[in-house]
Amino acid sequence: MFRIKVPRYWRHKDFRYRLNAWKCNHCGEVHFFKPLVCRRCRLREFNKVMLPETGKLIAYTIVRSPPCGFEEQTPYIIGFIELEDGTRILSQITDCYPEELKLGMKVEVTFRRVREDDPDKIIAYGYKFRPAI
Amino acid sequence: MSKVYVAGVGLTKVDEHWRESLEYLMAEASLKALDDAGISRVDSIYVGSMLSQVLQEQSHLGALLAEELGLSGIPAMGVEAASASGAAAVYAGAREIEASRANAVLVVGVDKMSDGMSEEVTSAMMIGERQEYTGFIGATFYSINALLYSLYMNRYSVGQEKIALFPVLCHEHAVNAPHAQYPFKIKLDTVLSSPYVAEPLRRFETTAIADGAAALVLVNEETARKLDSLKTELVIESATDYLTPLQREDPLWFPSVSLSTSKALSRSGIEKKDIKTIEIFDATSIMAVLSLESLGFAERGEGWRLLERGELTLSGSIPCNTFGGLKARGHPAGATGIYQIAELHLQLTHRAGKNQLDSIKAGLAQSLGGIASTAFTSILKEV
Amino acid sequence: MSDALIVNSYNVAGMLMFRDYMVKMNSVIILGYGGYVPRYRVRAEEIARVWGEEQTGLPVEEKAVASLDEDTITMAVEAARIALKRAGIPPSRIGAVHVGTESKPYAVKPCGTIVAEAIGATPKVTAADFEFACKAGTEALQFISSLVEAGRIDYGLAIGSDTAQGRPRDALEYTAASGAAAFIIGRDKDKGVAEIEAWTSYVTDTPDFWRREYERYPRHTARFTGDPAYFHHIVNSVKALLDDEGYNFNDIDYVIFHQPNVRFPFVAAKLLGVDIEKVKPGMVAGTIGNTYAACSLLGLVKVLDQAKPGQRILLASFGSGAGSDSYIIRVLDGVELKRELAPTLEKFIERKTYIDYITYAKNRRKIIM
């Protein structure tokens, strides 16, 4: 039912692997997935940008009750991060124990296994953030 | 434009209905509503469900319900707006009557979560979020709520014990609600010592796996007169917002709620002070508080004060969730929006039993898809 | 042990003759390097405790353990991104990504494509995985160096990365560790960290360690892995390289050997008559364990983190099966500037948290779920 669908995972690999996103030429709104129309100003021109690799943690929580495909990783941390350029992004925080979490802490992007599909054995890789080294 | 009246309501008890199927539950609620209205046929049916396509792998609920009711032949279809699917069905049915294209419409909400394993339900509750983004990384509905919760407590310097009063209120109101899932009282300590679902959000600040179906018969004025049920008039409005609240300019403000509410107030021709009871969408305690603020019943950062001052109790200035709300009546996703309007109707028609409020003329129900990505505001007023 | 020193003179003669015809086409320059070690450590004592073994004379102090969300590919990406920061070249100009590993997450589906995509080197790139037990990383480096030297690519990325697994209670469980090292190779001396002056290989069919298809853990021949395998191949590979290229140990400031434990490299040094002080700076196994394909390359990363321009490094890997690749690398002026552009290996080694055996078993998926 809730499986990794390979084409869906694959088609967004620019964002998932490298935080490549689209920035509206007019209002600067950042879109993580290829847009046709800017959701904010409705204009239609975008630049592909690489989002900053570092940011600070502005909120966090720990998932204790996981969805399908994340059972093994539970508990895991979901962080709300403000990147250097002001873009806000939701990400798992890895290499971090809950007691080490601090609001405002500096985090940096890393590349991890996000999810593994049991029946098909496909591995979905993508970004996670970790405390800055 | 024709006006819309509620002619009948039908509710199943919210529960884990191990022995009954999805179609059985929605047929049960539908028959109760038809019987309550005193009619056997309608012009069309709209069914709202959030989860049936994933948990039961069943779509096509319109034709399915028509068949269950022996009404095959009439137009019937599903309507979907995540956890506001029930309200969306009401919206569709109301618009059809307003457009004078129907005299009577059956609107139904249903979901049956107990058919899923717990991880499946957690996944299913995320289908109203942007799956490619937040679903992919393992964020859950509750984890996103938890982030809002934490942002809220930090911004407004409010402690959890203030916000966690909301579930206590809901359980108190559910005690006398025959259709409630959890008709018992709880203490604040119980909430604050329940395990974390996603820090700071605790188990008792969320809803549980629930099965339920609710139905309304909506009619135009002429039919209402014929049925001798010209009692409550319904106005419903809606607005939308980004799927992920955290990508909004201010995640702690629901513009969709304030927008749909001001539209609904202006069309119903009443003022906010005339609203004497509200049904709000407390999928979590923090969503309840944010809703109270976005609805305009409290200033930003002050929603919890209504709880503290007891204004949301049955004897307060604005009784809220008088049958227990999502927390204690239960939250069978796509059915919830209809439970909320049905409960307002029960209050306005003096059928609320022990929880009956005195002399209320109008009530408001707020139904949300996701975290206010879709908002419906319904106003029900006495005719 | 002296048997290991008896060099097959026919082989050496043959190699010498062969090498005589080789003309170096272009310089091979390390433009960027990066080492990555995961955060978690399990102490050898902890493993010994679980299996009721003596807690003295353990092969390493502790070993690095990958997190549940890490594997060979993710660690390869971590190391590659560090190397890229130092190299300062656009990733799209990388013409080849070669990953050496014995712990591929997929039996079929290359690590190289995922790594290349993650660093932004796709699509004009060749990508491949190499397997040769613990020398797969230096082998990847050979092929990248050759492509660059031959002028087929401008820049190449060679990686050694492993999440090595030892069977529970096996001697290898104390040492089999996780880590990755990456090198960006080009031709531009001015911007270089170091120059690969020469390399060679010494390979025979020596079954000292293997893993059959569908097997979870490798098998090995215990003490046979020493004399006829590790020592024989390393000693001969180094001797051949030195003789070939006309170097002697006086020309060499640092010597890095593959480190299956903390003892073997010093024994190899003794066999070759190398001052052990030259071996010490490149030792990493004591604190992170044997990171297999990354092992000797992480030694190189550690040395590059401290070496001075003009110094010379000798590196000899060992891969079971068996063979040894040896390299002579001269440190260039760029090293001091480039070193500062990214975290040193020491940062990752110091970033450590001890976990108990059961957490280690969970992280490395030794618990059947």
Side-chain angles (χ1 to χ4, degrees):
Chain A
M1 192 184 308
F2 297 100
R3 307 266 301 264
I4 297 172
K5 277 90 176 172
V6 171
R8 282 183 68 196
Y9 151 63
W10 166 85
R11 76 170 62 94
H12 295 306
K13 60 188 186 303
D14 283 7
F15 172 61
R16 304 209 198 291
Y17 287 9
R18 299 195 300 272
L19 292 187
N20 275 2
W22 280 262
K23 195 170 197 166
C24 172
N25 267 353
H26 301 271
C27 76
E29 176 86 344
V30 171
H31 301 248
F32 297 147
F33 303 96
K34 193 178 175 182
L36 286 165
V37 175
C38 176
R39 64 181 163 207
R40 191 151 159 246
C41 73
R42 302 207 65 216
L43 292 173
R44 300 185 188 187
E45 283 169 33
F46 303 91
N47 275 329
K48 207 165 179 181
V49 293
M50 202 115 127
L51 296 177
E53 293 170 2
T54 55
K56 61 175 190 206
L57 191 62
I58 51 180
Y60 58 82
T61 185
I62 299 149
V63 175
R64 309 261 171 198
S65 179
C68 298
F70 292 85
E71 296 90 340
E72 200 185 49
Q73 300 179 41
T74 308
Y76 52 93
I77 303 163
I78 298 282
F80 185 38
I81 295 153
E82 187 171 296
L83 299 176
E84 300 287 336
D85 67 350
T87 305
R88 290 173 162 207
I89 187 168
L90 211 60
S91 170
Q92 269 200 38
I93 308 288
T94 188
D95 281 357
C96 185
Y97 288 99
E99 56 272 21
E100 296 166 344
L101 289 163
K102 263 192 221 99
L103 288 180
M105 75 192 269
K106 202 174 168 202
V107 291
E108 62 190 17
V109 77
T110 173
F111 181 80
R112 295 296 168 102
R113 287 160 96 112
V114 173
R115 182 178 170 185
E116 210 169 330
D117 192 84
D118 242 11
D120 278 341
K121 305 285 179 193
I122 185 85
I123 304 165
Y125 292 93
Y127 65 86
K128 288 188 182 180
F129 282 72
R130 68 167 171 227
I133 289 172
Chain B
M1 188 170 77
S2 303
K3 288 182 174 177
V4 181
Y5 301 89
V6 177
V9 303
L11 308 174
T12 69
K13 183 175 161 59
V14 182
D15 213 335
E16 287 164 299
H17 290 283
W18 300 114
R19 288 167 189 79
E20 317 301 348
S21 64
L22 179 91
E23 45 270 49
Y24 187 94
L25 287 180
M26 62 180 179
E28 183 188 335
S30 301
L31 281 180
K32 282 184 176 173
L34 291 170
D35 291 350
D36 189 41
I39 55 172
S40 58
R41 295 197 69 85
V42 288
D43 299 310
S44 60
I45 300 176
Y46 293 96
V47 186
S49 172
M50 173 181 181
L51 306 171
S52 73
Q53 298 206 14
V54 290
L55 292 183
Q56 283 78 29
E57 296 175 43
Q58 178 69 63
S59 68
H60 221 166
L61 298 189
L64 176 63
L65 178 60
E67 181 183 341
E68 293 296 300
L69 296 173
L71 288 173
S72 297
I74 66 167
M77 62 205 75
V79 184
E80 187 271 316
S83 44
S85 292
V90 175
Y91 186 94
R95 288 293 182 271
E96 192 174 336
I97 290 171
E98 283 162 3
S100 305
R101 299 301 304 255
N103 297 319
V105 179
L106 176 67
V107 296
V108 185
V110 65
D111 260 315
K112 192 166 197 311
M113 293 154 80
S114 68
D115 281 350
M117 303 294 283
S118 118
E119 287 84 7
E120 289 173 342
V121 173
T122 302
S123 288
M125 292 307 280
M126 270 300 276
I127 65 174
E129 249 283 350
R130 192 179 279 267
Q131 288 284 31
E132 295 287 14
Y133 172 36
T134 53
F136 179 77
I137 64 164
T140 58
F141 177 74
Y142 291 141
S143 65
I144 295 173
N145 268 274
L147 292 172
L148 299 183
Y149 205 155
S150 139
L151 289 173
Y152 186 94
M153 290 198 296
N154 280 313
R155 186 191 295 178
Y156 300 118
S157 305
V158 185
Q160 182 163 18
E161 71 284 357
K162 308 284 186 192
I163 294 157
L165 278 171
F166 201 86
V168 179
L169 172 93
C170 285
H171 275 268
E172 218 163 283
H173 292 178
V175 169
N176 296 318
H179 59 275
Q181 184 177 17
Y182 299 119
F184 53 81
K185 289 186 187 185
I186 58 166
K187 292 195 169 85
L188 181 61
D189 277 356
T190 316
V191 181
L192 293 176
S193 60
S194 61
Y196 285 126
V197 176
E199 284 93 321
L201 193 67
R202 292 178 183 275
R203 176 64 66 201
F204 268 71
E205 295 178 277
T206 67
T207 62
I209 285 179
D211 305 342
L216 302 174
V217 175
L218 303 179
V219 296
N220 60 10
E221 188 171 338
E222 189 192 340
T223 311
R225 285 188 195 287
K226 267 191 221 159
L227 296 170
D228 192 24
S229 58
L230 197 65
K231 290 167 187 157
T232 61
E233 183 195 337
L234 172 75
V235 167
I236 181 166
E237 291 292 345
S238 181
T240 53
D241 202 349
Y242 298 171
L243 259 66
T244 304
L246 295 162
Q247 300 307 132
R248 299 174 194 153
E249 213 148 286
D250 182 0
L252 299 183
W253 177 249
F254 298 158
S256 59
V257 170
S258 67
L259 187 60
S260 62
T261 302
S262 60
K263 277 159 75 179
L265 282 169
S266 104
R267 190 151 73 86
S268 66
I270 61 172
E271 288 179 46
K272 202 161 74 221
K273 63 175 172 47
D274 303 323
I275 303 286
K276 295 295 182 199
T277 182
I278 52 176
E279 287 296 325
I280 66 169
F281 202 83
D282 58 313
T284 62
S285 55
I286 185 66
M287 269 176 82
V289 168
L290 293 173
S291 294
L292 287 166
E293 295 171 17
S294 298
L295 282 164
F297 289 99
E299 293 296 309
R300 292 192 195 198
E302 310 257 299
W304 54 276
R305 286 190 197 278
L306 296 174
L307 278 162
E308 200 179 44
R309 293 197 299 256
E311 296 186 32
L312 305 177
T313 62
L314 296 175
S315 55
S317 64
I318 180 81
C320 176
N321 293 5
T322 65
F323 290 84
L326 278 62
K327 173 69 193 85
R329 171 240 295 127
H331 178 32
T336 297
I338 299 198
Y339 276 98
Q340 294 178 301
I341 297 170
E343 287 162 353
L344 284 183
H345 181 77
L346 292 176
Q347 283 289 1
L348 286 164
T349 53
H350 304 278
R351 293 196 286 165
K354 288 185 179 161
N355 286 2
Q356 183 62 53
L357 303 170
D358 293 335
S359 65
I360 56 161
K361 304 267 184 256
L364 177 151
Q366 168 227 22
S367 216
L368 300 182
I371 301 179
S373 306
T374 299
F376 287 95
T377 303
S378 306
I379 289 174
L380 210 59
K381 58 176 184 179
E382 196 176 52
V383 177
Chain C
M1 195 57 71
S2 61
D3 281 359
L5 289 175
I6 301 172
V7 173
N8 183 326
S9 56
Y10 174 80
N11 273 358
V12 170
M15 284 166 68
L16 274 169
M17 285 172 64
F18 180 61
R19 293 291 300 189
D20 278 345
Y21 294 106
M22 300 282 280
V23 180
K24 196 153 190 184
M25 295 192 261
N26 284 297
S27 323
V28 178
I29 306 296
I30 297 174
L31 294 173
Y33 67 96
Y36 175 80
V37 180
R39 174 175 175 175
Y40 306 97
R41 302 284 181 281
V42 62
R43 287 194 172 97
E45 282 173 8
E46 168 70 0
I47 297 170
R49 179 187 70 79
V50 169
W51 298 113
E53 302 264 350
E54 285 283 335
Q55 307 229 340
T56 53
L58 296 171
V60 295
E61 236 174 88
E62 55 203 48
K63 67 168 187 173
V65 181
S67 159
L68 205 54
D69 61 0
E70 291 183 292
D71 62 22
T72 291
I73 292 169
T74 66
M75 295 194 307
V77 171
E78 301 262 17
R81 284 178 175 170
I82 294 169
L84 263 170
K85 275 193 185 125
R86 291 203 169 103
I89 58 154
S92 57
R93 296 205 53 200
I94 292 173
V97 174
H98 289 172
V99 182
T101 181
E102 64 105 75
S103 45
K104 280 164 62 87
Y106 290 100
V108 178
K109 176 168 181 9
C111 299
T113 53
I114 302 172
V115 174
E117 190 80 54
I119 61 165
T122 48
K124 218 185 155 209
V125 63
T126 170
D129 296 357
F130 287 78
E131 191 277 311
F132 197 144
C134 295
K135 92 167 183 71
T138 54
E139 197 181 20
L141 187 58
Q142 287 179 342
F143 281 83
I144 292 293
S145 299
S146 304
L147 287 168
V148 169
E149 186 183 333
R152 291 301 302 259
I153 57 172
D154 290 334
Y155 302 103
L157 170 60
I159 302 172
S161 180
D162 258 315
T163 52
Q165 295 263 32
R167 182 184 304 278
R169 215 194 75 88
D170 187 280
L172 289 182
E173 193 183 20
Y174 291 97
T175 56
S178 305
F183 297 85
I184 308 259
I185 308 297
R187 284 184 288 270
D188 192 347
K189 226 175 207 169
D190 297 343
K191 293 175 185 149
V193 167
E195 175 172 11
I196 296 179
E197 293 186 325
W199 59 262
T200 195
S201 282
Y202 184 93
V203 169
T204 71
D205 174 8
T206 306
D208 58 321
F209 166 103
W210 62 91
R211 179 161 62 85
R212 288 287 301 270
E213 211 172 7
Y214 311 119
E215 294 255 303
R216 221 183 137 150
Y217 298 110
R219 299 183 186 261
H220 59 88
T221 47
R223 289 184 57 77
F224 182 75
T225 60
D227 183 346
Y230 179 86
F231 296 112
H232 177 78
H233 291 84
I234 284 192
V235 165
N236 285 302
S237 165
V238 169
K239 279 183 162 267
L241 182 65
L242 294 182
D243 292 349
D244 262 2
E245 305 288 338
Y247 293 100
N248 65 55
F249 282 116
N250 295 329
D251 304 321
I252 309 289
D253 301 284
Y254 299 97
V255 177
I256 302 153
F257 295 125
H258 175 58
Q259 299 160 28
N261 53 49
V262 292
R263 197 175 63 89
F264 272 26
F266 294 104
V267 175
K270 202 171 154 200
L271 291 173
L272 283 162
V274 180
D275 178 1
I276 59 163
E277 293 306 316
K278 292 181 178 177
V279 177
K280 284 179 179 169
M283 286 299 295
V284 289
T287 48
I288 61 170
N290 177 5
T291 52
Y292 283 50
C295 182
S296 54
L297 291 176
L298 280 173
L300 176 57
V301 167
K302 194 176 168 211
V303 165
L304 289 173
D305 277 343
Q306 54 188 296
K308 291 184 179 62
Q311 291 188 314
R312 220 174 238 117
I313 303 163
L314 182 130
L315 177 148
S317 66
F318 171 72
S320 289
S324 169
D325 303 330
S326 52
Y327 288 82
I328 289 173
I329 296 162
R330 193 169 60 87
V331 182
L332 298 176
D333 291 344
V335 72
E336 282 165 341
L337 194 81
K338 295 276 180 109
R339 188 182 289 151
E340 306 304 318
L341 299 178
T344 59
L345 185 64
E346 205 53 34
K347 275 233 166 190
F348 287 97
I349 294 177
E350 282 166 8
R351 179 191 75 138
K352 65 177 171 187
T353 302
Y354 291 105
I355 54 176
D356 57 13
Y357 190 89
I358 194 67
T359 309
Y360 151 73
K362 178 187 164 193
N363 274 19
R364 295 326 301 146
R365 296 187 165 83
K366 290 175 193 291
I367 301 173
I368 297 165
M369 292 176 80

